[in-house]
Amino acid sequence: MFKPAIGLACLAILAGCAGKPGSEYVPVPPSKIEPVTVKSGDEAVLFPAKVGDEWVYEIENAIQRNGRVAQGQGFINLKVVKVETVGDGKRITLDLSSKGRVQDRQVWLLNNKGLYQVSLGLKGERTFSPPLIAIQFPVEAGKKFSWSGKSGKSDMAVNAVIVGAAEVDTAEKRMSAIQVDSKYTIRTGKSFERTERSVWFEPGIGIVRIKETSTRTGGAADLTLTLAKHNFK
């Protein structure tokens, strides 16, 4: 039979020490995280990409439709499958996989003006015209930028701001990353959607977290992507 004699003795000792100097428990403070910075001309570190580079994200989502809510979670992989030189920048193709199967494809453009999404989709590729801006260079806290264009049959508009360095949690570690907040409006015929999205970019790693909320007629959705690990070539 378990006898809690040792535990009671410890409690008695602790009680007897109450009030003595140095006896109180003092938690170890968390390590200070220095705010990250990105120098003008070095912005490519926000989206490093070589063929074979891979990111694994934990995904959590919730979809509300017709009064019902469906929730899900899992993991997705993003892998660089092609990098092409385009003018003074790079055209980067990534495959998105889940459970070992390619589910989607994304094409991005990175140059000295910013990072842009060109298209998405495996079949029936959806192109953004002009390319949809994700972050504008140089990186300056408080800097605002906007975009308007089309994606297939949809009219889109974006208003965004570079918040600046912010601490963010990932499965790898807590880090300082560049936060960008964006507000999207998407109109497709009579359908209208609003999305608020925050993206965190870590120099040398890329996107480490995405949080977005969308609302449309008859429904809403929440999505969170958090970096679980990355493997670079």
Side-chain angles (χ1 to χ4, degrees):
M1 179 181 294
F2 174 72
K3 297 181 180 181
I6 295 176
L8 291 174
C10 289
L11 287 174
I13 292 172
L14 289 173
C17 291
K20 293 183 179 180
S23 64
E24 296 84 358
Y25 167 70
V26 179
V28 177
S31 300
K32 182 179 180 181
I33 300 176
E34 293 296 331
V36 70
T37 59
V38 180
K39 294 181 180 179
S40 179
D42 291 341
E43 293 90 355
V45 298
L46 294 176
F47 202 76
K50 294 181 180 179
V51 173
D53 285 353
E54 187 174 17
W55 300 261
V56 179
Y57 296 94
E58 182 177 3
I59 181 172
E60 297 180 7
N61 60 15
I63 300 173
Q64 179 182 343
R65 185 177 300 166
N66 299 324
R68 296 183 178 180
V69 177
Q71 296 179 315
Q73 60 183 27
F75 292 88
I76 60 170
N77 292 53
L78 268 181
K79 187 173 184 178
V80 180
V81 295
K82 184 187 293 185
V83 178
E84 305 165 277
T85 299
V86 179
D88 62 352
K90 295 180 179 180
R91 181 183 173 95
I92 304 161
T93 302
L94 305 102
D95 278 356
L96 186 153
S97 302
S98 177
K99 298 180 180 180
R101 181 179 177 183
V102 177
Q103 305 282 351
D104 199 3
R105 180 164 293 147
Q106 302 179 359
V107 178
W108 293 76
L109 176 64
L110 177 67
N111 58 31
N112 60 4
K113 295 182 179 179
L115 174 66
Y116 307 81
Q117 188 167 10
V118 177
S119 64
L120 56 85
L122 275 173
K123 297 180 180 179
E125 181 184 63
R126 188 157 58 115
T127 301
F128 298 98
S129 180
L132 173 62
I133 189 166
I135 182 172
Q136 190 178 73
F137 302 151
V139 175
E140 300 170 350
K143 182 177 183 178
K144 297 179 180 180
F145 57 94
S146 60
W147 175 94
S148 61
K150 296 186 72 69
S151 173
K153 297 180 179 179
S154 300
D155 294 310
M156 297 180 59
V158 180
N159 289 298
V161 60
I162 299 175
V163 177
E167 292 188 15
V168 61
D169 286 316
T170 74
E172 290 190 330
K173 62 179 181 178
R174 186 170 179 82
M175 59 183 70
S176 176
I178 300 298
Q179 180 179 342
V180 179
D181 289 349
S182 305
K183 294 183 178 181
Y184 293 73
T185 57
I186 306 171
R187 186 179 297 276
T188 308
K190 295 182 179 180
S191 175
F192 186 74
E193 179 179 333
R194 293 182 184 274
T195 296
E196 293 188 4
R197 175 184 296 169
S198 293
V199 181
W200 288 264
F201 296 88
E202 171 68 12
I205 298 179
I207 295 174
V208 295
R209 189 175 175 87
I210 297 176
K211 174 66 177 175
E212 71 174 39
T213 300
S214 299
T215 57
R216 64 166 62 181
T217 303
D222 289 319
L223 172 69
T224 302
L225 269 74
T226 306
L227 181 69
K229 63 181 179 178
H230 70 287
N231 180 26
F232 287 173
K233 299 299 182 182

